[in-house]
Amino acid sequence: MQYIRKNLNPQKQLLLNVIGELIKEKRQLQNKGIILFSYEYDISNSSIALLEKGKRDVQITTLWKLANAFGMSFSEFIIEVEKRLPKDFKLIED
């Protein structure tokens, strides 16, 4: 059984939501359902579903694989995530 944390720091949850929204948007632009997409790119469909809902913290290797599946470099994906976050977004407080 996998553990999914329910009460995340609000900043971390915002980041996970933005990543999830981007993954879902890019997958849907390819006109692929979760099952087909997961099969083609060897990522479990449950992982993709949880990532898209912002309920799972993504591993860097999975994020890299997803970026490549969308025809993007890892850095392009991260730049897109940063554009969707508030201007002075930080995960830690000063």
Side-chain angles (χ1 to χ4, degrees), residues 4-9 13:
I4 301 172
R5 185 179 294 170
K6 294 183 180 180
N7 296 321
L8 292 178
N9 168 304
Q13 189 60 61

Side-chain angles (χ1 to χ4, degrees), residues 19 23 58-67 74 77-78:
I19 290 171
I23 292 169
V58 64
Q59 293 181 344
I60 195 164
T61 53
T62 303
L63 195 56
W64 202 297
K65 191 185 284 190
L66 287 165
F74 180 75
F77 189 89
I78 296 302

Side-chain angles (χ1 to χ4, degrees), residues 1-18:
M1 176 182 240
Q2 70 186 28
Y3 175 75
I4 301 172
R5 185 179 294 170
K6 294 183 180 180
N7 296 321
L8 292 178
N9 168 304
Q11 291 298 94
K12 184 172 183 177
Q13 189 60 61
L14 174 60
L15 176 61
L16 294 179
N17 289 344
V18 168

Side-chain angles (χ1 to χ4, degrees), residues 40-73:
E40 288 182 348
Y41 298 107
D42 193 31
I43 304 167
S44 75
N45 58 351
S46 61
S47 290
I48 294 171
L50 290 170
L51 290 171
E52 288 184 357
K53 293 176 184 175
K55 294 187 184 272
R56 175 178 276 176
D57 201 344
V58 64
Q59 293 181 344
I60 195 164
T61 53
T62 303
L63 195 56
W64 202 297
K65 191 185 284 190
L66 287 165
N68 293 164
F70 301 136
M72 304 170 81
S73 70

